[in-house]
Amino acid sequence: MSKSTAIAHANIALVKYWGKRDHNLNLPAVGSISVTLDGLHSKTTVELAPEASADQFILNGREANEKQAARTSAFIDKIRRMSGSDKRVRVISDNNFPTGAGLASSASGFAALTLAATRAFNLRLAADLLSGLAREGSGSAARSIFGGYVEMEIGTESDGRDAVAKPLFPSEHWPLRLLILITSEAEKKIGSTEGMNLTARTSPYYDTWIHSSLEDLQNMRDAIAARDFQQMGEIAEFSCLKMHGLAMSANPGLIYWNEVTIELIHAVRNLRSQGIPAYFTIDAGPQVKVICQPEDVAVIREKLSQMDGVINILESGLGPKAYIIGEND
Ligand code: DP6
């Protein structure tokens, strides 16, 4: 193939990844468990451009900035080396979720890029190899290769060969829903990579975070297997708050929340005290993701949409693995 288009969905971690055990191969220091979302995806076309002298990247209708282009080109270099080709590429990638929604798109973006680019260079990789390669682009992208409930393994090999994600359960096992409450459209000042590196270097709590994650992973696997909503939600909030507490204990402390984020944390806990089951999780930004069951979506949405500072609410169920939608020579 010389041109290939892939779709990969975003994911949200229920047990968080924060910290690396190897920077070059981007190996995580902790495992993580996520759900892949059907409502948010990246669609990426990679076309070989034999006559071009440089790669070209169009992200959400615009020429990529220098930082994005350098990161993407370095990633394509890995695929060029694997395929023994030095051809340049033209990449067009679009997210179906609002640009500037303050949502990280590196997971769906790198997963779609990995699948489309390997196929454009005529490589057909098994899913675990695709996941390992996507991880080199962005740790969370390794999980977006798979659908449903997914676990990222830290692995033990120094070459990273077993630091890959694997599917735990398909979406149908337990069709949870997510509400994504947008509280700011500003770009975050400190991205995940930089934030986790600062945390590992400076937080006195870092080692405890690493050790305590094993129990969270086991408890989360059990909760998902048993479809125990309360246990799943309690561990998700625990892992989320622990990750943010850890980030705050870096020096200088990292605070990804704004005042609306905090209001929403309390609002979700208030819903529970009124008997409405809902739990929150938050990534390296101010948006709040509410995990709920299908029958409660309408009431939760209604209550939270009335809060000051909620700019937009996106809704999603659980989604499929990354897949190819078109190819030609
Ligand atoms: C808070 O996958 O964006 O969303 O591997 O450096 O690209 P890099 O980091 P990234 O980090 C995601 C961090 C998180 C938690 C999670 O998704 O597990």
Side-chain angles (χ1 to χ4, degrees):
M1 297 305 132
S2 63
K3 182 175 176 185
S4 181
T5 301
I7 285 194
H9 291 75
N11 72 75
I12 286 177
L14 302 176
V15 175
K16 303 291 183 195
Y17 149 52
W18 196 256
K20 300 174 195 286
R21 70 180 171 90
D22 179 291
H23 295 272
N24 292 329
L25 292 166
N26 201 29
L27 303 179
V30 289
S32 52
I33 293 179
S34 62
V35 284
T36 301
L37 305 180
D38 66 354
L40 283 69
H41 70 240
S42 300
K43 179 176 145 194
T44 302
T45 300
V46 177
E47 186 173 11
L48 303 188
E51 48 323 301
S53 57
D55 294 325
Q56 194 194 359
F57 302 108
I58 312 287
L59 304 181
N60 296 311
R62 289 180 182 193
E63 194 84 37
N65 65 37
E66 223 171 284
K67 202 171 158 194
Q68 289 166 328
R71 187 174 178 183
T72 317
S73 245
F75 183 71
I76 298 284
D77 281 343
K78 296 176 199 286
I79 298 173
R80 278 191 272 261
R81 276 198 295 278
M82 287 170 81
S83 71
S85 163
D86 59 0
K87 289 192 183 121
R88 303 293 109 185
V89 293
R90 179 176 153 82
V91 177
I92 299 175
S93 188
D94 290 292
N95 299 328
N96 77 332
F97 43 98
T99 313
L103 288 172
S105 57
S106 71
S108 54
F110 271 104
L113 179 68
T114 303
L115 184 54
T118 50
R119 295 284 276 257
F121 279 99
N122 247 323
L123 297 167
R124 278 182 178 264
L125 302 186
D128 59 335
L129 292 177
L130 279 175
S131 175
L133 188 55
R135 180 208 73 234
E136 296 191 38
S138 180
S140 52
R143 301 186 307 237
S144 276
I145 293 295
F146 299 102
Y149 295 82
V150 181
E151 176 161 1
M152 177 71 200
E153 309 265 4
I154 58 172
T156 51
E157 303 287 344
S158 54
D159 65 1
R161 124 175 68 111
D162 54 352
V164 298
K166 59 162 200 229
L168 285 180
F169 294 98
S171 305
E172 307 80 57
H173 167 72
W174 195 18
L176 292 177
R177 294 201 74 82
L178 280 290
L179 290 174
I180 299 154
L181 295 123
I182 311 297
T183 67
S184 166
E185 295 180 336
E187 203 174 315
K188 61 185 167 205
K189 290 192 195 81
I190 300 189
S192 304
T193 310
E194 201 187 329
M196 53 181 97
N197 292 342
L198 175 74
T199 307
R201 274 201 321 274
T202 60
S203 168
Y205 303 155
Y206 187 67
D207 289 343
T208 310
W209 158 257
I210 304 286
H211 294 129
S212 67
S213 71
L214 291 177
E215 199 181 332
D216 301 339
L217 290 164
Q218 187 54 51
N219 290 341
M220 184 57 83
R221 271 181 228 119
D222 294 346
I224 297 170
R227 301 185 192 90
D228 184 331
F229 188 72
Q230 183 177 345
Q231 194 191 342
M232 179 281 305
E234 284 174 4
I235 304 157
E237 283 193 4
F238 180 52
S239 174
C240 161
L241 291 177
K242 214 163 28 144
M243 182 202 106
H244 284 276
L246 173 76
M248 285 180 204
S249 74
N251 190 7
L254 293 165
I255 303 174
Y256 285 107
W257 302 346
N258 60 31
E259 55 280 21
V260 186
T261 316
I262 297 172
E263 295 282 348
L264 284 168
I265 288 174
H266 291 299
V268 170
R269 290 191 160 178
N270 276 338
L271 288 174
R272 289 214 293 280
S273 64
Q274 295 162 37
I276 303 167
Y279 292 87
F280 63 81
T281 187
I282 305 160
D283 289 322
Q287 330 303 355
V288 177
K289 287 97 180 196
V290 179
I291 313 158
C292 52
Q293 298 168 107
E295 60 272 26
D296 302 313
V297 169
V299 62
I300 296 170
R301 207 184 161 122
E302 208 246 272
K303 294 207 183 242
L304 297 181
S305 63
Q306 289 166 7
M307 295 197 40
D308 285 346
V310 174
I311 299 171
N312 192 5
I313 301 183
L314 309 177
E315 189 181 328
S316 181
L318 305 195
K321 64 181 184 181
Y323 55 94
I324 294 285
I325 58 165
E327 285 187 315
N328 37 23
D329 283 324

